[in-house]
Structure formats: structure tokens, C-alpha cells
Amino acid sequence: MTITVVGSVAFDSITTPFGSIDRAIGGAATYFSVAASYFSPVQLVGTVGDDFGAEEMKIFEGRKIDTSGLVRIKGGKSFFWRGEYSYDMNVAHTKDTQLNVFADFKPVLPESFRKPRVLFLANIDPVLQLDVLEQCHRPELIALDTMNYWISSKKPDLEAVIRRCDLLIINEGEVRQYTGDPNLVKGGRQILELGPKTLVIKRGEYGVIMLTRDRIFAIPAYPLETVFDPTGAGDTFAGGFLGYLASTDKMSERDYRRSIIYGSVLASYNVESFSLDRLKGLTKGDIEKRYQEFRELTEFEAASE
Ligand code: AMP
């Protein structure tokens, strides 16, 4: 079943302890769409400049990604982000953010994009997220992501979107920043009181916690020996998670838990190389193999004595 996503499609310049790359393909919606399309069809809403040409568009080709909602602005420049990581790869240090074509973007969704089963408001200006939300007929699930940049610059707008979403996917530093509470469970509960039924907290190499009013589910990240570039891990996680969830019949509690594993599997592959280099070429076999490894990693009842 279909997912509509709005978010950044971008160029990223990234420095990690292992190397650097200039103007690679990035953007929250790019990572999300490629990851989600392994499981469900995706309809992408965003904007690029004419620097994001035919060569860059190949990232979406041959996948279940409808790009008719991606608006190209003549003479415009695409969103640009420069980030750096030191040895603590859980924290991205933003060195530059250039909104460029996103600064004046007024999304108009193609008619066929307005009835998705799942709407994902990827990390972008909350004003744009709200605008897209208002153009959709009530989806079965409205999911939202954001980042520190929007928490510090547009908190009231962000709060308006949080109040209208069912599921918030956010990282642990952002929970603390948003709520001012150092404790994730308490901070998480504060966010649930605003309206979302489910909160998924991303904790980088420590994994993921899913919090609802009466349940907590937690899993570790896949124990990789080499994390080469964490850029896009959060969006790739969200893509695998919602892509799988949207493909299930009931979106039950068990489906949510399985989806968290699929999201974690895709994110673990993504961080093995720069940009989408590893993510873009995965096979069903790669995905299932790591899913089974996750099963063994977290099994504690069935182990032999
Ligand atoms: P993450 O999954 O959190 O590592 O997201 C990384 C992606 O987010 C990069 O590819 C960036 O292009 C994109 N990004 C960074 N800052 C922003 C922002 N303020 N708004 C939207 N997208 C952003």
C-alpha cells in the first residue's frame, strides 16, 4: 500500500573520520524513498533545482517511486547540507544548511498522491509538513520526523504538526532538546501527551525504543564493525520501518515490531558507505539475511543451555 512522503532531496558534503565526500546525493526524502520502496510504492513530494539533473534522478529509477510530485525549479539550487562526524558517530555536526529552492516551496500534491495509506512527513520545515498534511485525505497513519534545526527555529509550528500525527520518529537528543527532560522515558511520555499514539526513539548505535501509552519495546542496533558514514541512517530506518508496515494487512503491534527490525536492517546497510551507495543495490536476500541475524541477536528463550 502506498506511502506519500514530503522531505528534502539534496546534495550533502560529509566528513567522517574515514574520509569525505562533496555534493553527494542526499536528503531525508531520498533516503526514505529508496529504503521504503523495497517494500511498498512511494509517492515523493519535494523540490530540487536544475543542478539535480537526469544523472541524479537515476537514484529513483527502476524502483516503486513516483517522482511526479518532485518539482524542478529552473535556475534554482537544490537543498544543500554540510555535516561532520567525529569519532562519536551518533552525533552529526551541521556546518552549513542552505534551504535554496525549499525556502519558497509551496507543495501542491498531484491528485493521485492525496489518498496514501501512510503519510510520512520527513525532516523539513514543519510549515511545509502541515501544508502537505492538509492536502491529504485522512491517511490510516500519519508519521513525522524532524531534527534539532527545526526544534530550535520553529518549535510552535512543529508542535502543531506533532499534535496531528499518530507516530513520531525522533532521535534521543531531539527528545531531550524538545522536552528539556534528560530521561527518555519521561520525555517520551511528555510527547505522547501531545497526541501521537506511538513514539519511536532512534538511539544511533544503541538501537531503537518504541513507546506507547502502555508498552515499551526496545532493540539494539545491528553490531557492525565499521560504521563508515551515518548520514541518512535515521531516514533509511524510517523508510524500512514504514515501507514494511505499509505492506502489512493490519499494522498490528507485531507488525510494528517486525517493521522496526526491517528499518534497523536497512539502516545498518546504509551506514556501510557514503551517500546511498550501499542502500541502492540491496537484494531481498541481503535484507532477509540480516533480519534473521537480528532474530538470533535478540533471542534469549530458545538458546541451548
Ligand atoms: P539523517 O537520517 O538524520 O542522518 O538525515 C540526513 C539527511 O538529512 C541528509 O541527507 C541531509 O540532506 C538532510 N538534512 C539535513 N539537515 C536538514 C534540514 N534542516 N532539513 C531537511 N533535511 C535536512
Side-chain angles (χ1 to χ4, degrees), residues 122-137:
N123 167 30
I124 197 66
D125 188 332
V127 175
L128 292 181
Q129 293 177 319
L130 206 54
D131 198 349
V132 167
L133 173 55
E134 268 159 13
Q135 292 178 50
C136 285
H137 301 266

Side-chain angles (χ1 to χ4, degrees), residues 8 10 12 26-28 31 79 81 123-124 147 149-150 230-235:
S8 54
D12 292 341
Y31 284 104
F79 185 101
W81 179 72
N123 167 30
I124 197 66
M147 75 181 288
Y149 185 83
W150 305 113
T231 309
D235 307 304

Side-chain angles (χ1 to χ4, degrees), residues 12-16 81-85 92-96:
D12 292 341
S13 292
I14 296 155
T15 302
T16 78
W81 179 72
R82 181 186 300 281
E84 272 181 33
Y85 302 85
H93 302 281
T94 295
K95 298 293 172 187
D96 193 9

Side-chain angles (χ1 to χ4, degrees), residues 28-302:
T30 314
Y31 284 104
F32 177 88
S33 303
V34 172
S37 69
Y38 282 106
F39 306 103
S40 291
V42 179
Q43 299 172 325
L44 170 59
V45 180
T47 183
V48 287
D50 38 26
D51 49 356
F52 202 95
E55 191 52 37
E56 286 77 16
M57 287 299 287
K58 283 189 186 151
I59 194 70
F60 302 119
E61 285 166 16
R63 305 175 195 277
K64 294 179 281 187
I65 303 176
D66 183 341
T67 55
S68 55
L70 185 64
V71 178
R72 176 167 291 99
I73 305 293
K74 269 213 160 66
K77 279 173 71 184
S78 302
F79 185 101
F80 174 77
W81 179 72
R82 181 186 300 281
E84 272 181 33
Y85 302 85
S86 55
Y87 277 97
D88 178 1
M89 300 277 255
N90 289 321
V91 185
H93 302 281
T94 295
K95 298 293 172 187
D96 193 9
T97 300
Q98 296 172 15
L99 297 178
N100 295 330
V101 289
F102 266 103
D104 312 304
F105 183 49
K106 296 267 169 292
V108 180
L109 270 59
E111 204 44 54
S112 58
F113 280 33
R114 296 179 184 221
K115 284 188 180 168
R117 185 179 193 202
V118 174
L119 173 65
F120 181 57
L121 306 165
N123 167 30
I124 197 66
D125 188 332
V127 175
L128 292 181
Q129 293 177 319
L130 206 54
D131 198 349
V132 167
L133 173 55
E134 268 159 13
Q135 292 178 50
C136 285
H137 301 266
R138 181 63 168 95
E140 210 175 315
L141 182 74
I142 301 170
L144 172 70
D145 189 9
T146 191
M147 75 181 288
N148 52 5
Y149 185 83
W150 305 113
I151 299 174
S152 44
S153 62
K154 298 224 169 166
K155 195 166 178 193
D157 296 305
L158 180 59
E159 182 166 323
V161 202
I162 293 178
R163 286 186 180 281
R164 294 187 53 185
C165 76
D166 305 303
L167 164 69
L168 177 62
I169 304 175
I170 189 170
N171 70 38
E172 59 178 327
E174 292 155 3
V175 173
R176 295 191 176 106
Q177 183 190 356
Y178 191 88
T179 62
D181 198 314
N183 183 286
L184 282 184
V185 179
K186 273 207 256 162
R189 298 220 179 281
Q190 216 175 299
I191 294 178
L192 289 178
E193 272 172 23
L194 294 175
K197 287 188 271 306
T198 311
L199 186 65
V200 171
I201 306 174
K202 298 169 285 181
R203 307 187 58 229
E205 65 180 302
Y206 306 111
V208 175
I209 299 177
M210 177 166 68
L211 199 67
T212 59
R213 277 185 193 98
D214 48 14
R215 288 210 181 104
I216 299 187
F217 172 65
I219 56 131
Y222 184 82
L224 281 174
E225 287 190 22
T226 314
V227 175
F228 191 78
D229 172 19
T231 309
D235 307 304
T236 303
F237 167 81
F241 171 54
L242 292 178
Y244 182 78
L245 190 63
S247 76
T248 63
D249 283 346
K250 295 191 196 131
M251 300 207 276
S252 65
E253 166 81 17
R254 184 159 76 176
D255 294 329
Y256 266 79
R257 292 184 180 213
R258 286 183 175 157
S259 302
I260 287 204
I261 308 300
Y262 278 111
S264 307
V265 164
L266 264 62
S268 74
Y269 277 119
N270 184 58
V271 301
E272 288 181 356
S273 69
F274 273 134
S275 189
L276 290 93
D277 291 355
R278 183 71 178 105
L279 180 65
K280 68 185 180 191
L282 294 178
T283 63
K284 288 263 177 245
D286 295 328
I287 296 172
E288 288 309 318
K289 178 170 171 282
R290 223 166 247 191
Y291 184 88
Q292 289 311 327
E293 285 169 358
F294 251 105
R295 233 193 156 125
E296 284 158 31
L297 176 70
T298 53
E299 177 60 71
F300 58 91
E301 284 290 352

